[in-house]
Amino acid sequence: MMTISALLWIGSHFSASGDGVEEPLGLIIGSVIYGLAANVFYTLGWISELLWAGGDTSRTQPFRKPVFYLGLIVSCALTLLPAALIPAIWWMSGFHHGPEASLQ
């Protein structure tokens, strides 16, 4: 809820009216989709291990730590992506914000 509130404030302050950044319904739906996707991929972890191992999970022992760290890095990067993209887009637009930004 804090993230959605922060994005609503940032979006209303730094974007032109009507942009998708500040749409509350879009943020809520995006949050739900992100949560569902995270749970689906988390669940696929143990299923894929069973499929790779053919039922014998001792065969996947050497790959567990690297795959875990890769998954951790990718999930953290995906979660932090909006925090990097929004300022980058703002920077590329020349630091313009608000309704006057769409007129320039």
Side-chain angles (χ1 to χ4, degrees), residues 65-80:
K65 275 191 178 181
V67 169
F68 170 76
Y69 288 125
L70 179 65
L72 181 64
I73 290 168
V74 170
S75 66
C76 288
L78 181 64
T79 301
L80 294 173

Side-chain angles (χ1 to χ4, degrees), residues 1-8 23-39 82:
M1 195 61 162
M2 295 282 293
T3 302
I4 292 173
S5 299
L7 284 174
L8 283 174
E23 297 296 329
L25 189 58
L27 287 173
I28 293 169
I29 290 172
S31 299
V32 169
I33 290 172
Y34 173 80
L36 288 173
N39 282 305

Side-chain angles (χ1 to χ4, degrees), residues 45-46 49-50 52-53 55-72:
W46 66 268
E49 182 179 0
L50 286 176
W52 293 340
D56 182 16
T57 56
S58 64
R59 292 174 42 195
T60 61
Q61 185 65 32
F63 306 108
R64 286 183 186 157
K65 275 191 178 181
V67 169
F68 170 76
Y69 288 125
L70 179 65
L72 181 64

